[in-house]
Amino acid sequence: MRVYDVVVPASELEQKLKAKLAEVQPRVRINGFRPGKVPVAHIRKVYGPSMMQDIINEAVQSSTRESLDKTKARPASEPTLDWKS
């Protein structure tokens, strides 16, 4: 078993979330708002947690792939995550 520590700064995750929110804002349709005019704060409230989960998953996959390529290791199974705040 090998253990790798991957540190992703919260500021980087926040920046990616803001970019994702800005990307989807013109296409979001929510009742009570005109198409494309939904405030970013409301989109973040409704879809923020699921978007952040997607961003974290992408970060974990890319960092795992980079570490495995760097060490030329072959994974026997999917990595397990241990969250540290």
Side-chain angles (χ1 to χ4, degrees):
M1 176 185 281
R2 292 190 177 133
V3 177
Y4 295 99
D5 286 335
V6 177
V7 178
V8 181
S11 59
E12 183 180 326
L13 295 175
E14 184 67 27
Q15 182 181 18
K16 288 182 180 182
L17 179 63
K18 285 181 182 178
K20 185 91 162 172
L21 288 169
E23 176 187 326
V24 299
Q25 186 203 13
R27 297 179 286 157
V28 173
R29 297 176 145 250
I30 296 178
N31 289 340
F33 296 97
R34 290 182 290 156
K37 301 295 182 182
V38 181
V40 174
H42 190 67
I43 297 171
R44 184 183 191 123
K45 180 180 164 188
V46 174
Y47 298 112
S50 63
M51 286 182 172
M52 184 56 87
Q53 183 178 3
D54 291 342
I55 291 168
I56 290 171
N57 285 337
E58 289 172 10
V60 167
Q61 288 176 0
S62 66
S63 62
T64 301
R65 198 173 327 107
E66 288 173 9
S67 344
L68 291 175
D69 289 344
K70 192 181 295 183
T71 60
K72 297 180 182 173
R74 291 185 331 215
S77 64
E78 288 295 315
T80 59
L81 303 176
D82 182 21
W83 296 100
K84 295 178 184 176
S85 302

